[in-house]
Amino acid sequence: MKILRDPANTSPCVLVLGTFDGVHRGHQALLMAGNDLAEKYHLPLNVCTFEPHPLQVLRPEAAPPLLTTLPERAALMAGFGVENLCVTTFTKQVAAQEPEAYLQDLFERYHPKALVCGFNHTFGAYGRGNGETIRQWCAAHDCEAVIVPNVVLDGATVSSTRIRGLLEAGQITEATRLMGHWYTMSGRVMDGKHIGRTMGYPTANMEPPKGKVFPAYGVYACYLTAEEKIYPAVVNVGRHPTLPEGNITVEAHVLDACLMLYGKKIRLDFLRFQRPEHLFSGVEELKTQITRDAADAKAYFASLR
């Protein structure tokens, strides 16, 4: 898998269009349709997306926090046979292109034999381009067009907005089901105040990734990956109301292992929401609750065996 930024020219391919934040089950339907076409035409499967998110350029105040970073999206897409993630730098000039001009540029860059997009994909000035625009253009340019319908779970369309709301409500299990994979956060471990260590629960304080959605503040059971090894962990996300620091922190305590992680990059896979953030009367009550949290997480991981 390669990430290509603003490629000027690529080999002929099957091209899938979309934002793909989260690479959730709806996005996966597009990728599977694209992979089928790539096998049919014996061509590489490419995805064309935008960075930054269009709303960050057009309406910054309305831009959503992201479910996935670009490298996370690339890693997930690789599992669906995508060979190249082609990233168009989104600007106001790109947004102002007429749909036909945008498609002309797309065909000159990527030479697609087949073009895939979702039922709600729009592009070009004022979002005037859509699936029907693509279908008509492809019919005139010897290109197969596939418009993938929405994926529905529990009576509602799977969408990044819906998943974001679930995460912010602490509904990790439901978010995982809609995404088709765990929600993850990655970052480097920073030196902290060592408060957890003084209570017998040393933590890895991960630098929160910028621009990503935070799940509901509270305690989670997670897998922590460091140096290609996976460990069960109990993780706190929030502002520490009992011992406030002012910033949002992500702190992971590895269960049944003592690791030196300072300066190392880790990934957290969120499996289960255990409890919301709470203001305790003092350090002793907090320590008692942390002991319960660790025991709860251990019991949960034992149930997975």
Side-chain angles (χ1 to χ4, degrees):
M1 156 68 82
K2 295 179 181 178
I3 297 178
L4 307 177
R5 293 186 178 272
D6 297 309
N9 193 27
T10 72
S11 301
C13 65
V14 170
L15 190 63
V16 185
L17 306 176
T19 304
F20 288 95
D21 182 29
V23 194
H24 54 61
R25 291 190 183 277
H27 299 144
Q28 291 165 24
L30 271 70
L31 299 177
M32 288 187 285
N35 191 54
D36 288 344
L37 289 165
E39 292 181 358
K40 172 183 173 180
Y41 290 112
H42 304 287
L43 289 173
L45 176 60
N46 292 355
V47 169
C48 182
T49 191
F50 293 115
E51 193 181 54
H53 190 288
L55 282 178
Q56 290 179 347
V57 175
L58 300 176
R59 295 173 55 207
E61 73 286 353
L66 299 177
L67 296 170
T68 45
T69 63
L70 192 67
E72 287 169 347
R73 272 176 268 170
L76 289 165
M77 288 178 181
F80 291 88
V82 177
E83 294 190 24
N84 298 298
L85 176 55
C86 305
V87 183
T88 297
T89 302
F90 192 83
T91 64
K92 289 183 178 180
Q93 289 72 31
V94 170
Q97 278 187 301
E98 290 300 321
E100 294 74 16
Y102 173 77
L103 288 172
Q104 181 66 44
D105 180 65
L106 204 69
F107 271 64
E108 290 176 356
R109 287 173 184 264
Y110 300 106
H111 315 288
K113 184 64 178 175
L115 206 54
V116 180
C117 73
F119 71 102
N120 60 350
H121 182 68
T122 59
F123 59 95
Y126 303 102
R128 285 196 293 260
N130 55 29
E132 185 56 34
T133 311
I134 288 174
R135 199 188 305 277
Q136 293 176 11
W137 180 275
C138 287
H141 291 81
D142 190 29
C143 178
E144 184 173 354
V146 174
I147 315 302
V148 178
N150 59 328
V151 173
V152 175
L153 282 177
D154 300 328
T157 297
V158 176
S159 69
S160 300
T161 300
R162 182 181 172 193
I163 294 167
R164 198 174 295 115
L166 290 170
L167 288 171
E168 291 172 342
Q171 297 182 43
I172 288 292
T173 302
E174 283 302 297
T176 300
R177 193 164 70 90
L178 267 61
M179 292 178 79
H181 55 85
W182 291 318
Y183 174 73
T184 67
M185 297 180 82
S186 299
R188 204 163 294 280
V189 176
M190 307 177 296
D191 195 9
K193 294 185 177 181
H194 306 284
I195 294 173
R197 186 175 297 278
T198 64
M199 292 188 285
Y201 293 94
T203 59
N205 303 306
M206 188 183 79
E207 182 179 10
K210 294 180 180 179
K212 279 199 70 166
V213 63
F214 279 93
Y217 295 166
V219 176
Y220 296 83
C222 296
Y223 281 130
L224 182 151
T225 300
E227 298 179 324
E228 299 184 359
K229 293 184 179 180
I230 302 173
Y231 306 90
V234 59
V235 176
N236 186 86
V237 177
R239 293 188 180 274
H240 289 281
T242 307
L243 300 169
E245 299 181 5
N247 298 319
I248 301 172
T249 62
V250 180
E251 299 185 42
H253 170 67
V254 178
L255 302 169
D256 300 324
C258 184
L259 306 176
M260 293 299 294
L261 296 173
Y262 292 119
K264 295 179 181 178
K265 190 170 184 180
I266 63 172
R267 187 186 76 233
L268 298 173
D269 299 322
F270 286 73
L271 277 68
R272 175 176 175 254
F273 182 60
Q274 293 190 183
R275 66 167 178 87
E277 188 173 63
H278 183 73
L279 174 62
F280 297 97
S281 61
V283 173
E284 284 306 312
E285 187 182 8
L286 173 60
K287 181 178 178 180
T288 299
Q289 184 60 54
I290 292 174
T291 301
R292 292 193 189 113
D293 293 338
D296 189 13
K298 286 181 182 180
Y300 169 71
F301 283 112
S303 74
L304 299 180
R305 296 180 189 141

